Amino acid sequence: MASGTTAPPPPASLKRIVAASLIGTTIEWYDFFLYGSAAALVFNKLFFPGSDPLVGTLLSFLTYAVGFAARPIGALVFGHYGDRLGRKKLLVLSLLLMGGATFAIGLLPTHATIGTAAPVLLTVLRLVQGFALGGEWGGAVLLVSEHGDARRRGFWASWPQTGAPAGQLLATGVLSFLTAVLSDAAFGSWGWRIPFLLSGVLVMVGLWIRLSVDESPVFKEALAQAEARKAADAGAVEKMPLVAVLRHHWRDVLIAMGARMAENISYYVITAFILVYATTSAGVSRQTALNAVLIASAVHFAVIPAWGALSDRVGRRPVYLVGAVGIGLWMFPFFSLIDTGGFGNLILAVTVGLVLHGAMYAPQAAFFSEMFATRMRYSGASIGAQFASVAAGAPAPLIATALLADYGDSTPIALYVIAASLLTIVAVGVAKETRHRDLADMDTGAEVAARAARTEDAGVL
């Protein structure tokens, strides 16, 4: 039987675990966001030449979206083995895959050198990136969630979430520096490769830190219980985590997917599409747009732990709903501020947007972790999060760019984000509050239900 509560590790140990998850997710998101920024700035010229500039950008964002299509596959594969073998091993593999693909992009010949093979290879490497990231998120947040205690889980689990703005900050910072010190010709010729090649160094640092942490104690306890049950009942066959999730947690998967809609769509509109909108419609320079995202990402990084801590006090749902409602209300002011072309207004637009996004993103790690039992938690959290990304984050820059091309106005784009906010409000509104759940104790109820189902099935047969 589960112990009911799992003693939290010493503070120093927990901080090391949080640091390992944070650094790993920062590197993974650096690699992923670097591609998004490059897709908006240079890939349309390097890999899709000869097209209308906006069409080239659409084609560039299409390869960007391909990475999202691979994320659910990564969620299924990494979730399955993460629930069977442990969180740590799969996190090491995801980091190696992501870093290797990003480094290879930095060495990739362009269309001018090898023709149509260039965008094909770019797409393949983007698929590897998406596959790796699909497995990274669930493992990173679970490693922290399962080491901590329920009282401050929202705060500690929000730190791996700061890897997203930290990665965005790092990627945008490197690009901003290079565009400032290099001419447009030099950046387009070879300068864009430097941030991708830098990933090789960052991955080595991340691996060194990630290999130093222990496996989740909650997972080790659940694994020991599963082995004991197998020994006691030689004929027992443990269900695949995916099957168990769809049987016992299908409602939670749908809630997680709905909760992701506004969070995911708004983030990529605010951080990726803005580089297109601000430079083409508002007449803002590329450097100015990058600097605005850079400053706002720093604020985003700082507010995520604060939102996570607030979710420990008032609950995951209230904080999440503040973000979902707020981001919907902010969309029209967001574009109005950008249209002025002023740098201060641009910073204000992006910063407020990311602060509101943080209210959804911060409690998400603990919220999703608390929905699922341990032996299916990696699968459940990853599937709920990553399957939503196909419908949300993947097409967001594409849809926004297409709407801009068709209408020449930001109103349809704002309405698009507002519709996503309404979906998230409904999903979170019907969810149950989870902040007082004990992650170890959840297994007891899950296993009782599973044994009862097996007994019932046996009686029917």
Side-chain angles (χ1 to χ4, degrees), residues 1-15:
M1 297 291 288
S3 59
T5 57
T6 301
S13 176
L14 182 57
K15 289 177 182 177

Side-chain angles (χ1 to χ4, degrees), residues 240-263:
M240 290 178 59
L242 173 61
V243 175
V245 166
L246 296 180
R247 181 169 184 177
H248 299 290
H249 288 285
W250 62 268
R251 182 178 180 273
D252 296 315
V253 169
L254 291 177
I255 288 173
M257 291 176 66
R260 283 275 281 171
M261 297 305 290
E263 177 269 307

Side-chain angles (χ1 to χ4, degrees), residues 260-413:
R260 283 275 281 171
M261 297 305 290
E263 177 269 307
N264 219 218
I265 288 173
S266 66
Y267 188 78
Y268 290 106
V269 168
I270 292 170
T271 61
F273 172 70
I274 188 180
L275 298 179
V276 176
Y277 184 81
T279 55
T280 60
S281 294
V284 176
S285 71
R286 180 171 60 185
Q287 183 67 46
T288 299
L290 283 170
N291 287 342
V293 174
L294 188 69
I295 293 168
S297 294
V299 177
H300 194 211
F301 179 91
V303 300
I304 285 177
W307 284 122
L310 183 61
S311 78
D312 286 327
R313 289 180 173 271
V314 303
R316 318 299 183 212
R317 292 172 68 250
V319 176
Y320 213 114
L321 287 170
V322 166
V325 173
I327 204 71
L329 295 175
W330 183 244
M331 276 301 100
F332 280 110
F334 172 79
F335 285 109
S336 295
L337 286 168
I338 295 173
D339 287 338
T340 66
F343 183 51
N345 286 340
L346 188 61
I347 293 173
L348 178 62
V350 181
T351 300
V352 173
L354 288 183
V355 167
L356 293 169
H357 171 269
M360 294 180 282
Y361 200 55
Q364 190 179 97
F367 192 27
F368 290 6
S369 298
E370 291 159 349
M371 290 180 181
F372 303 95
T374 302
R375 292 286 282 167
M376 58 189 84
R377 185 170 292 134
Y378 202 144
S379 295
S382 296
I383 291 169
Q386 303 307 333
F387 271 71
S389 69
V390 177
L398 276 169
I399 292 173
T401 303
L403 289 172
L404 180 63
D406 288 344
Y407 295 94
D409 183 68
S410 62
T411 299
I413 305 167

Side-chain angles (χ1 to χ4, degrees), residues 145-166:
S145 295
E146 293 178 345
H147 271 93
D149 63 297
R151 188 174 60 87
R152 300 193 68 196
R153 186 180 299 126
F155 171 73
W156 289 116
S158 69
W159 279 100
Q161 300 291 77
T162 64

Side-chain angles (χ1 to χ4, degrees), residues 176-195:
S176 180
F177 173 77
L178 289 173
T179 55
V181 300
L182 297 176
S183 66
D184 288 346
F187 182 79
S189 175
W190 56 268
W192 67 271
R193 298 181 183 275
I194 295 174

Side-chain angles (χ1 to χ4, degrees), residues 72-263:
I73 302 173
L76 290 172
V77 174
F78 279 81
H80 173 83
Y81 288 103
D83 282 328
R84 289 291 179 90
L85 304 177
R87 295 29 172 146
K88 178 180 172 179
K89 295 175 183 177
L90 275 297
L91 285 173
V92 170
L93 178 60
S94 70
L95 191 60
L96 286 171
L97 286 173
M98 175 66 88
T102 305
F103 188 82
I105 290 174
L107 300 174
L108 194 63
T110 64
H111 188 280
T113 304
I114 60 173
T116 56
V120 171
L121 291 173
L122 181 68
T123 302
V124 171
L125 292 172
R126 182 60 175 173
L127 282 168
V128 176
Q129 281 191 324
F131 178 80
L133 191 62
E136 163 70 21
W137 181 84
V141 300
L142 293 188
L143 197 64
V144 176
S145 295
E146 293 178 345
H147 271 93
D149 63 297
R151 188 174 60 87
R152 300 193 68 196
R153 186 180 299 126
F155 171 73
W156 289 116
S158 69
W159 279 100
Q161 300 291 77
T162 64
Q168 178 77 66
L169 191 65
L170 186 59
T172 307
V174 172
L175 284 172
S176 180
F177 173 77
L178 289 173
T179 55
V181 300
L182 297 176
S183 66
D184 288 346
F187 182 79
S189 175
W190 56 268
W192 67 271
R193 298 181 183 275
I194 295 174
F196 289 92
L197 297 176
L198 179 62
S199 178
V201 178
L202 297 176
V203 166
M204 292 301 103
V205 175
L207 281 175
W208 175 68
I209 296 173
R210 187 161 276 185
L211 287 169
S212 68
V213 302
D214 294 327
E215 182 56 81
S216 153
V218 172
F219 174 80
K220 288 192 288 187
E221 183 180 354
L223 182 61
Q225 291 171 8
E227 294 298 328
R229 285 193 298 274
K230 285 183 182 179
D233 184 0
V237 178
E238 188 177 15
K239 285 185 173 66
M240 290 178 59
L242 173 61
V243 175
V245 166
L246 296 180
R247 181 169 184 177
H248 299 290
H249 288 285
W250 62 268
R251 182 178 180 273
D252 296 315
V253 169
L254 291 177
I255 288 173
M257 291 176 66
R260 283 275 281 171
M261 297 305 290
E263 177 269 307

Side-chain angles (χ1 to χ4, degrees), residues 15-105:
K15 289 177 182 177
R16 186 173 68 251
I17 292 159
V18 170
S21 292
L22 170 58
I23 291 173
T25 54
T26 297
I27 295 169
E28 295 261 4
W29 283 113
Y30 166 80
D31 292 348
F32 204 76
F33 288 141
L34 180 61
Y35 188 103
S37 296
L41 297 174
V42 294
F43 280 178
N44 58 333
K45 303 180 185 70
L46 296 173
F47 293 94
F48 306 97
S51 301
D52 174 83
L54 202 55
V55 174
T57 300
L58 277 170
L59 292 172
S60 183
F61 273 141
L62 185 60
T63 62
Y64 174 73
V66 162
F68 287 84
R71 283 164 69 169
I73 302 173
L76 290 172
V77 174
F78 279 81
H80 173 83
Y81 288 103
D83 282 328
R84 289 291 179 90
L85 304 177
R87 295 29 172 146
K88 178 180 172 179
K89 295 175 183 177
L90 275 297
L91 285 173
V92 170
L93 178 60
S94 70
L95 191 60
L96 286 171
L97 286 173
M98 175 66 88
T102 305
F103 188 82
I105 290 174

